[in-house]
Amino acid sequence: MGGLDGTPETKVLQASSVEPDTVRDVTGNVLVPTIGGGARWLGNSTRVLAGRVADPMLGTMAAKGYVDFAGSTSQAFRNGTVTAAELHLVPNYTYGSVVTQATFRLNEIREEIDMTSAKADTSFAENVIGDFITEFSIKPSDTLVVIPLPPAFIAANDTTFRSERFATSFHGFQISSTGTDAIRGFSADSSMLRVVSGQDTVDFPVTKILTTLTRESEPTLPEGYVLIQDGFGEAANFDFPFEQAGFGPSAINRVVFALPADTVATQANAPAGFVRPLLREVSLYTLSDDGDVARLGYTSLIDFRLGTKDARFILDHEGLTDIVQSRLEGDDTLSGFRITPDVESNTINPILIYTGNSQTIPDPGKAPQATVTFTPTE
């Protein structure tokens, strides 16, 4: 306790509302040249997802990956004839079975796709995706997957592969799956298209990626939780009753949000040999009545251990102090807060956040909390 002698006081508030929401996740990225001859990715993640998985809790989910490449500047390569071409994929993510191999399909993309900051719910006209090229399988232990392209495809694209206008005349591949074993992720930085022409073997680097996601059946969630999931944009909006908490005239010193998460419930009903990676980072946004959304920062899951129901996201951002102070002084432009999966990743990782208002989990201490440190001024 404190008082008018300048000693700070503390109040712990329970969230007055926790509601699910959905945002559009950016999964597209492009590699652009930089001054000095280098290159950099415009976006955050350099992973592309592909596959399909039947999750007993989160439903059947499908990912289609799109990759495009830069061509060769070698004159010797352009003067030859293409005799071989292989797509090299480097897996770096698995959601689903780690005991069975997953089968994938490769299709040609017929038209240019703008992948710059493209969203996971991007859709295309039917004629954008071209003919089936080949099928391939990936074992859980694979660290490199080499997919030889069929001779007929190579012959049909010989002049395209060697063209100075390759970047605008070839539009890349779509990777998809009809099975339900797993969704796999691939590193754009390490994957490539390897092409042999004459005596030259050239690696075409990946320069554009996009993942599109479809939820084919809805999640079956336990009561008392809200789902936060990367890729699909599952988010949560929440707020605290700051104005009704009896602060009186006060100077707000610090505000810290704690969002309890349940790793046990998030891993429930997973079959043997099935991996459901946990979402470990979220971003915090402010919401306003006029629809504006502003990012404050991000945080990582702490007290993280598989098998604990008491993991937490701690959101300790200096901007929260000013926001709460303004609200106590009558500013009603901000209507609450939102947490979303952090923008740095490209996964479909989930985490279940307690709402605190369930018949089966009635403990209000499991709801999001705001710890407010303040000094009364009157």
Side-chain angles (χ1 to χ4, degrees), residues 98-126:
V98 292
V99 295
T100 60
Q101 69 179 17
T103 302
F104 296 84
R105 294 170 56 87
L106 195 69
N107 284 66
E108 185 179 5
I109 301 174
R110 288 177 175 158
E111 298 182 10
E112 184 72 14
I113 294 175
D114 184 3
M115 303 187 195
T116 308
S117 299
K119 308 293 195 301
D121 61 355
T122 298
S123 59
F124 309 105
E126 187 174 337

Side-chain angles (χ1 to χ4, degrees), residues 292-309:
D292 286 343
V293 179
R295 186 171 185 258
L296 283 177
Y298 72 95
T299 185
S300 299
L301 191 65
I302 66 170
D303 293 344
F304 167 74
R305 299 180 301 276
L306 286 178
T308 179
K309 299 178 75 67

Side-chain angles (χ1 to χ4, degrees), residues 9-14 240 242 247 252-258 315-316 320 324 368-374:
E9 300 183 20
T10 298
K11 286 181 181 286
V12 178
L13 308 182
Q14 306 296 327
F240 298 96
F242 297 113
F247 286 101
I252 303 301
N253 308 123
R254 186 183 182 194
V255 179
V256 179
F257 291 169
L315 299 148
D316 186 3
L320 293 175
V324 174
Q369 295 181 335
T371 300
V372 183
T373 304
F374 65 101

